[in-house]
Amino acid sequence: MSLLKTMIKHTAGGQDASAGCETPSLPPQPPQPAIYVSTGLDVHKIEDAHDWPEDREINGTLCRRLSPEYFAWLRSRMVTAQAAHKAGKLPEDAWNTLRQRFNALQELAIREFGKENLQGVLHSFSTKNYRPPALRPEAQEKPVVVATKDWIYPGNQAWKCKQPVTSQAVAKVDAIREEALPKGWSEARLYQNQGRFRFPCGEDYGLVCFVDGDQEIGEVTERFIEIIHGPKSGRPSTLRFYNPEVPQPWMKKMED
């Protein structure tokens, strides 16, 4: 018998012998633990986050999976909060709470990623190019119309005109709320969607009315908040949403 026939015979025999056997099932995947942290520095240790997205609500609070880049962004927010505290805009109790939470988070991040790795990311980190946590709709085979949330601010008043606001827009503003308030932004300037005139006329409408769809929030300062249009388009454009409640370069003080 030739070598070729011998190979065919043994191969066929092996196939016949295994014809009635069941295919062995794959072993279960091991759990993938992860750490999720809210923008308010609440830490959640998840035992198995295999199918979890990068950003997710936990106990009603928006959280993001901890990474060196996210830690660097949270640290930049702490620097801003510290400046607000020194300027008397952030109460002592609130600052102490944030400081204690961040110190504990920093020790946890060092154990997870290593001190040298964190220092390298902090050295090259840019807050302008970082996308803050936000609830983003899952990818769909067909585009779907995002249902609008019955959002009304202020809720205890009825103004002449109203602008519909989506839950995604509210989530984007929620993500920068704790950074904006110490810098002099009022809740009305962030969330108001009622006005005396039809949107977008007048200055009654808040930031939440301008960040729907592919608009993302960029840098947050005392004078303005950046709105980035089409951040994934390859040709993004940036506009500024100004705060009329603080002095602006073009405003001149009237002398008595």
Side-chain angles (χ1 to χ4, degrees):
M1 182 180 293
S2 66
L3 179 61
L4 177 60
K5 291 182 179 180
T6 303
M7 292 175 61
I8 294 175
K9 179 179 179 181
H10 283 284
T11 303
Q15 292 175 348
D16 292 341
S18 62
C21 297
E22 296 182 357
T23 303
S25 59
L26 296 176
Q29 293 185 349
Q32 296 183 5
I35 299 173
Y36 277 74
V37 183
S38 72
T39 55
L41 303 180
D42 295 312
V43 177
H44 302 272
K45 296 182 179 180
I46 308 303
E47 295 183 359
D48 188 5
H50 176 72
D51 296 325
W52 285 37
E54 181 184 27
D55 296 339
R56 175 166 179 166
E57 280 191 1
I58 301 178
N59 297 335
T61 305
L62 179 61
C63 300
R64 169 167 289 186
R65 187 190 299 261
L66 183 62
S67 67
E69 291 75 18
Y70 184 38
F71 174 80
W73 182 75
L74 290 173
R75 184 179 182 278
S76 70
R77 287 167 56 90
M78 284 296 297
V79 173
T80 301
Q82 184 179 35
H85 170 64
K86 291 181 178 180
K89 297 180 180 180
L90 185 64
E92 184 75 18
D93 293 343
W95 165 246
N96 286 333
T97 299
L98 288 175
R99 181 173 54 83
Q100 292 171 4
R101 291 182 179 181
F102 181 78
N103 289 340
L105 175 64
Q106 181 171 260
E107 295 180 0
L108 179 60
I110 291 175
R111 292 196 300 268
E112 288 291 317
F113 309 113
K115 187 174 182 180
E116 293 183 358
N117 185 23
L118 287 178
Q119 289 178 342
V121 173
L122 290 171
H123 180 72
S124 59
F125 183 76
S126 171
T127 56
K128 186 174 183 179
N129 298 327
Y130 187 79
R131 299 181 65 191
L135 292 179
R136 298 177 176 87
E138 298 180 357
Q140 304 285 338
E141 294 183 0
K142 296 181 180 179
V144 296
V145 177
V146 179
T148 58
K149 180 181 178 180
D150 189 16
W151 176 263
I152 296 294
Y153 188 100
N156 58 349
Q157 299 180 25
W159 292 50
K160 181 179 179 181
C161 302
K162 296 180 178 64
Q163 174 64 12
V165 172
T166 65
S167 58
Q168 285 75 20
V170 176
K172 293 175 187 179
V173 178
D174 285 343
I176 58 96
R177 179 180 182 276
E178 295 179 8
E179 181 180 1
L181 291 179
K183 293 183 178 181
W185 290 84
S186 64
E187 285 193 347
R189 295 306 304 159
L190 297 177
Y191 293 103
Q192 184 161 317
N193 69 323
Q194 299 190 79
R196 294 163 293 176
F197 308 100
R198 188 182 300 274
F199 180 82
C201 299
E203 295 183 348
D204 297 326
Y205 295 96
L207 177 66
V208 73
C209 298
F210 298 88
V211 293
D212 195 11
D214 66 345
Q215 289 91 356
E216 297 290 344
I217 298 177
E219 183 180 5
V220 178
T221 71
E222 292 182 356
R223 294 194 297 109
F224 63 83
I225 296 176
E226 287 185 341
I227 301 176
I228 304 174
H229 293 255
K232 296 182 179 180
S233 65
R235 299 183 62 184
S237 61
T238 301
L239 299 176
R240 289 179 175 181
F241 182 78
Y242 287 96
N243 186 359
E245 298 175 1
V246 300
Q248 299 290 349
W250 59 85
M251 295 180 179
K252 295 183 179 180
K253 183 178 180 181
M254 300 296 295
E255 300 292 343
D256 294 335

